[in-house]
Amino acid sequence: MIVSNLSRLIATAIIWGAVTMIMMAMLLRPGMDLTGDTIVVITAIMGAVAYLGTRAVWKSPYDAEQEAEKSKRHSRVDRMLSRLSDRDVAELRARLMGDDGEAVTMEDLLTTYDERKRQVQ
């Protein structure tokens, strides 16, 4: 499931809003004699909890899967390129650069390849 940035933003606002309300309720409650050290420790703990919750919301398992797939693709391409001879690499580079010296998109190159393949058949 792809989580949108809007839902992540809402979840983050809920986390930080809840931490703020808890802290304000604790500090403004009459009869609670909290020392400065206690307030600092509780604030640090609540801040750490809010930070970890926010991090968990924004770093989803889907992002990790995407990164792993991207890494696999790069390694396959690297392996393929390492098998090419210097002459093959030069030819590939020349084909990726158009007749006018501008880079050609891979999509255009594949379309041209498919058209030539159909003409041969």
Side-chain angles (χ1 to χ4, degrees):
M1 176 175 100
I2 299 175
V3 179
S4 72
N5 284 342
L6 179 61
S7 61
R8 288 178 177 176
L9 185 62
I10 291 169
T12 301
I14 290 171
I15 290 169
W16 286 97
V19 167
T20 302
M21 288 190 323
I22 291 168
M23 291 298 297
M24 293 304 292
M26 185 180 64
L27 292 174
L28 297 177
R29 183 172 177 193
M32 287 191 77
D33 292 328
L34 298 175
T35 63
D37 293 341
T38 306
I39 292 172
V40 169
V41 170
I42 292 173
T43 303
I45 292 170
M46 295 297 287
V49 167
Y51 166 76
L52 293 173
T54 302
R55 186 172 175 198
V57 166
W58 284 92
K59 187 68 177 169
S60 71
Y62 177 75
D63 294 338
E65 290 172 12
Q66 268 188 331
E67 288 298 319
E69 181 61 32
K70 192 174 183 182
S71 176
K72 286 179 190 176
R73 265 185 276 142
H74 282 295
S75 63
R76 285 193 305 253
V77 171
D78 289 341
R79 284 194 307 268
M80 181 199 69
L81 288 175
S82 69
R83 291 183 194 131
L84 295 177
S85 68
D86 290 340
R87 182 177 173 196
D88 292 337
V89 170
E91 184 178 337
L92 177 62
R93 187 172 287 127
R95 290 198 57 192
L96 289 174
M97 297 303 287
D99 296 332
D100 56 0
E102 270 190 51
V104 177
T105 66
M106 189 61 135
E107 186 65 34
D108 292 342
L109 190 61
L110 290 173
T111 302
T112 305
Y113 175 75
D114 288 341
E115 288 172 2
R116 287 182 186 168
K117 199 164 123 179
R118 275 183 251 146
Q119 289 174 356
V120 171
Q121 294 174 350

